[in-house]
Amino acid sequence: MNTVPVYEAKNKLPLFIHQAEQGNPVAITRHNNVVAYLISKEDFEELTKGGKKEKSLAERIHDSRYDFGLDDDDDFDYTEYFDSLRERGYYGRPEGDHVFDGV
């Protein structure tokens, strides 16, 4: 990676843009501290895949099981389980069933 001060980046911008397009990021410094990076469009899009939907809890559990080498033939449907919890009332109790009933 090429590192250049701000004044040099300003004076030779087309050169550094060309380097970035070729896959060679350029670090831009001010007072010897990196303040910015010049990267290619492809690298930027890879870093900022913003349209990517966050995984659900069930998907993350499945991925974690896979990462830890647990059996993937588990027939437990996490999505159905979590959906059933959402259908219940407060703290997982059936609707209308309250803590102080019968006290």
Side-chain angles (χ1 to χ4, degrees), residues 66-80:
Y66 179 80
D67 292 343
F68 285 102
L70 299 174
D71 188 13
D72 196 31
D73 292 335
D74 184 4
D75 61 351
F76 187 77
D77 187 353
Y78 295 101
T79 305
E80 182 179 321

Side-chain angles (χ1 to χ4, degrees), residues 1-82:
M1 178 182 310
N2 196 2
T3 303
V4 297
V6 171
Y7 72 87
E8 187 177 348
K10 180 185 139 209
N11 293 334
K12 299 179 182 176
L13 186 60
L15 170 70
F16 297 125
I17 288 175
H18 182 70
Q19 285 181 6
E21 287 174 328
Q22 300 301 314
N24 301 313
V26 178
I28 301 173
T29 63
R30 180 182 300 127
H31 306 294
N32 294 322
N33 294 317
V34 176
V35 294
Y37 292 98
L38 185 60
I39 61 173
S40 69
K41 176 183 179 250
E42 291 80 17
D43 290 344
F44 177 78
E45 289 172 349
E46 181 69 28
L47 289 171
T48 59
K49 288 184 179 174
K52 194 170 155 182
K53 183 186 123 201
E54 187 168 328
K55 290 184 177 183
S56 70
L57 180 57
E59 292 170 324
R60 292 186 301 195
I61 290 172
H62 180 271
D63 291 349
S64 294
R65 291 178 56 82
Y66 179 80
D67 292 343
F68 285 102
L70 299 174
D71 188 13
D72 196 31
D73 292 335
D74 184 4
D75 61 351
F76 187 77
D77 187 353
Y78 295 101
T79 305
E80 182 179 321
Y81 172 71
F82 290 120

